Amino acid sequence: MLELTGFVALYIFMLTAFVGYEIISRVPVILHTPLMSGSNFVHGIVVVGAMVVLGQADTTVEKVIGFLGVVLGAANAVGGYVVTERMLEMFKSSKGDKA
Amino acid sequence: MTEWLSRDTLDFLIQAVYFVAAVLFIVGLKQMASPVTARRGVIWAGVGMLLAVLVTFFWQDMGNFALMLAALAIGSVMAWITAKRVAMTDMPQMVAVYNGMGGGAAAAIAAIELYNPGELGYVILVLAILGGMIGAVAFSGSMVAFAKLQGLVQKTLRFPGLQLLNALIFLATIGTGLALLLMEGYPGELLVAFFALALLAGITLTMPIGGADMPVVISLYNALTGLAVAFKGFVLDNAAMIIAGTVVGAAGMLLTHLMAKAMNRPLSNVLFAGFGDTEMEGGGAEGTMKAIDPSDAAIMMAYSEKVIIVPGYGLAVAQAQHKLWEFCERLGERDVEVKFAIHPVAGRMPGHMNVLLAEAGVPYDMIFDLEEINSEFEEADVALVIGANDVVNPDARNKKDSPIFGMPILNADKARNTLVVKRGRGTGFSGVQNPLFVADNTQMVFGDAQEVANKLLQGLKSLG
């Protein structure tokens, strides 16, 4: 596995934070709601982490919490995706081309 | 299940796929920043998510696959059904729910890591505790936000000393968190207390916040969940989580700031001042409102050259946007120039109104931001304000003691004629009085937005 520790981790964190900031800084207001929903979908990646802890869980307590984590994470990802997609599907220009 | 591939190859594949997923997330979010490519963007991000989930099954030392599949199925199906069903007007609270679940998942990961801290290093332990705390606060806070917007909780909890209580709960959470960090082999009760306190903090922090401010809070929790996910990524050595979480954390913070700025409410104000649903005394503004019949209003607009429509949340609540758009199409046929002016906080969060208009079929290139359109009001024959109130209140521009002073507004009062569709004579969502309603060039169309939109349409049809 990767060793994401110390300053390497800090650099990744810093650079990625700038990327996130830059992505949003020129977004028209009309897309704020879909974008908030879209970014909500993206942090649904937490499901992957929950899968790993559930996959490595041994005791019952760990399994129960891990199970809950995966349920919640999956709901975050799927719900976030469906809602965002539904919203963006509706945006169209007057020339009739779908976004 | 890994006999046909060596562990090293699998690990490489997992990391490679996570890398691709991270790229897809960033490119996808970037594409979501333009209406032309937005749909493609979310699909790309979706592909990234799917790949990342699939490849995670091959992570080293994994078991409990049956449980995992069951959990994935339950979460996905539940979310799929609710997300497909939710009405566009209820979108903000659904975003809150799914966001809260992400926070909950991050907290669950933290709970397991802290339940069995074993060989976690010092820095990693700090991140695990912080991520768990943030995740738990985002979880309970988002659920309260949902309950309030959905109308499940009507009351706004606010009493003297609430801020003090909040501060105490917050400090207690930090205190137990510190204890977790410093104590070797802490008892399980301490861990439970830590999460209970964090959950409680989310509740008491969100309860006093009024409905109008809730979108800002949802956006804040969205950013916090991103941060929690990133911290969990460091704990689990998972690059996809680090990148996705951090991007969302940073983007979400900026988005929160933009929203708060659009409302002219510093974030600290939103969180600690509790203005969102202040009940102000007094009904209508001083002066008299002039009423006009919907059919007369329709004729007025039919013979105009330029009409700017200022829609607000009231329009969407009355489900009148479809009728309104039909009316606008007919105006268009008569060569009236129609534009929609959207205030950044129209609807329940920035951009919400655009979604609702898009649902009714209004093309996005007829919809304009405040900065784009404010100078055009002076050339407009008619500004039609429908379901909006505070966002066109001239007091924000010139009355220093008004609670909304300084908030950027749409200059509907500068149009030659202003028509305001309003249910009754009372004040709006924030309870602030609006002198626009009694201005010389303003005429009021009283009635429910849906009913008025219908009558406007009929009035236009009767002209042939």
Side-chain angles (χ1 to χ4, degrees), chain A residues 1-2 33 54-55 85-86 92 99, chain B residues 11 35 39 63-64 83 237 350:
Chain A
M1 289 288 124
L2 285 181
T33 293
L54 174 61
E85 223 263 333
R86 269 186 65 193
K92 60 179 193 321
Chain B
D11 282 350
R39 180 116 188 265
N64 300 330
D237 239 357

Side-chain angles (χ1 to χ4, degrees), chain A residues 25-80:
Chain A
S25 61
R26 279 180 296 266
V27 176
V29 178
I30 82 160
L31 282 170
H32 276 182
T33 293
L35 204 70
M36 174 160 139
S37 175
S39 57
N40 176 37
F41 159 65
V42 167
H43 69 52
I45 190 70
V46 69
V47 68
V48 163
M51 284 170 70
V52 171
V53 290
L54 174 61
Q56 297 175 343
D58 301 318
T59 65
T60 313
V61 179
E62 285 177 337
K63 281 182 192 170
V64 169
I65 301 174
F67 184 82
L68 216 64
V70 176
V71 170
L72 292 173
N76 180 184
V78 173

Side-chain angles (χ1 to χ4, degrees), chain B residues 263-337:
Chain B
M263 298 167 77
N264 190 38
R265 306 261 292 130
L267 197 55
S268 57
N269 237 347
V270 170
L271 290 177
F272 306 116
F275 147 85
D277 57 2
T278 333
E279 286 124 45
M280 299 274 291
E281 67 289 345
E286 285 158 47
T288 42
M289 302 185 194
K290 295 177 290 295
I292 181 173
D293 220 47
S295 52
D296 292 338
I299 292 167
M300 185 184 200
M301 284 185 272
Y303 291 103
S304 300
E305 273 175 32
K306 183 171 185 172
V307 173
I308 299 178
I309 298 182
V310 181
Y313 190 62
L315 174 78
V317 170
Q319 283 294 318
Q321 64 268 43
H322 299 88
K323 278 275 175 280
L324 181 67
W325 172 232
E326 211 181 323
F327 173 73
C328 294
E329 278 181 309
R330 290 211 166 227
L331 282 180
E333 284 163 18
R334 302 183 65 99
D335 290 325
V336 181
E337 188 188 359

